[in-house]
Amino acid sequence: MNEMDIRKKLYEKMQNEYNDFIEEMKNNEPQFIVNNAYQIVIKEELVAMFYPESEQYDIDEIKALNKTKNPLEELYQGWMDSDAGIHSVLEDNVSDTIEGIQKEQREKKKDRER
């Protein structure tokens, strides 16, 4: 099996795991789904990180994940167990967005003053 096939195998395994998870979610009450929206989004993002064409992770890492029964759940639990959070990423993005808004507003003000 070549490297691309190994990457495809992992991606398909994770995509199937995600699809099963979503189907399971659909069998629950709307409030349960809302309460688990974070898990849905994070798992979707995790799957996207492993598109076969992505070379973010080396082949040994891909092989290791391929050997696990539920790589998506393993990665999600690893995320949940970590001290990292999405908060710092959101803070950076909010700051960048606000900077862009302020810059645009300053430029519009300068244009009006001319």
Side-chain angles (χ1 to χ4, degrees), residues 28-46:
N28 289 289
E29 297 295 319
Q31 190 59 49
F32 181 85
I33 296 168
V34 168
N35 291 344
N36 285 282
Y38 179 82
Q39 183 175 182
I40 293 167
V41 170
I42 295 299
K43 284 185 174 183
E44 183 175 20
E45 289 298 316
L46 286 167

Side-chain angles (χ1 to χ4, degrees), residues 75-93:
L75 292 169
Y76 178 74
Q77 289 306 319
W79 168 255
M80 293 303 293
D81 292 344
S82 74
D83 290 335
I86 199 165
H87 188 79
S88 63
V89 174
L90 285 173
E91 278 181 347
D92 291 345
N93 185 271

Side-chain angles (χ1 to χ4, degrees), residues 3 8 13-14 17-19 27 38-40 45 47 55 65 68-69 72 76 78 81 85 90-92 94 100-101 111:
E3 184 173 328
K8 283 180 183 176
K13 186 176 186 178
M14 291 177 69
E17 187 179 346
Y18 178 77
N19 292 343
N27 294 324
Y38 179 82
Q39 183 175 182
I40 293 167
E45 289 298 316
V47 171
E55 294 183 2
L65 280 171
T68 65
K69 182 177 179 184
L72 182 57
Y76 178 74
D81 292 344
L90 285 173
E91 278 181 347
D92 291 345
V94 167
I101 291 169
D111 288 345

Side-chain angles (χ1 to χ4, degrees), residues 4-114:
M4 183 55 79
D5 290 339
I6 294 167
R7 290 179 183 280
K8 283 180 183 176
K9 180 181 175 188
L10 176 63
Y11 178 76
E12 289 169 3
K13 186 176 186 178
M14 291 177 69
Q15 186 64 58
N16 288 336
E17 187 179 346
Y18 178 77
N19 292 343
D20 290 346
F21 168 72
I22 292 299
E23 287 304 313
E24 186 178 313
M25 284 289 120
K26 289 178 183 178
N27 294 324
N28 289 289
E29 297 295 319
Q31 190 59 49
F32 181 85
I33 296 168
V34 168
N35 291 344
N36 285 282
Y38 179 82
Q39 183 175 182
I40 293 167
V41 170
I42 295 299
K43 284 185 174 183
E44 183 175 20
E45 289 298 316
L46 286 167
V47 171
M49 292 173 69
F50 289 89
Y51 284 128
E53 296 77 20
S54 172
E55 294 183 2
Q56 184 171 354
Y57 302 98
D58 69 38
I59 194 63
D60 291 331
E61 292 169 318
I62 299 299
K63 286 177 180 178
L65 280 171
N66 253 329
K67 290 178 183 176
T68 65
K69 182 177 179 184
N70 297 303
L72 182 57
E73 185 62 23
E74 293 267 354
L75 292 169
Y76 178 74
Q77 289 306 319
W79 168 255
M80 293 303 293
D81 292 344
S82 74
D83 290 335
I86 199 165
H87 188 79
S88 63
V89 174
L90 285 173
E91 278 181 347
D92 291 345
N93 185 271
V94 167
S95 293
D96 291 347
T97 302
I98 291 171
E99 270 182 43
I101 291 169
Q102 289 175 319
K103 181 180 178 184
E104 184 178 306
Q105 290 172 351
R106 284 190 298 269
E107 289 171 1
K108 285 181 181 178
K109 184 178 178 184
K110 284 180 185 178
D111 288 345
R112 284 192 306 264
E113 292 173 354
R114 290 182 189 170

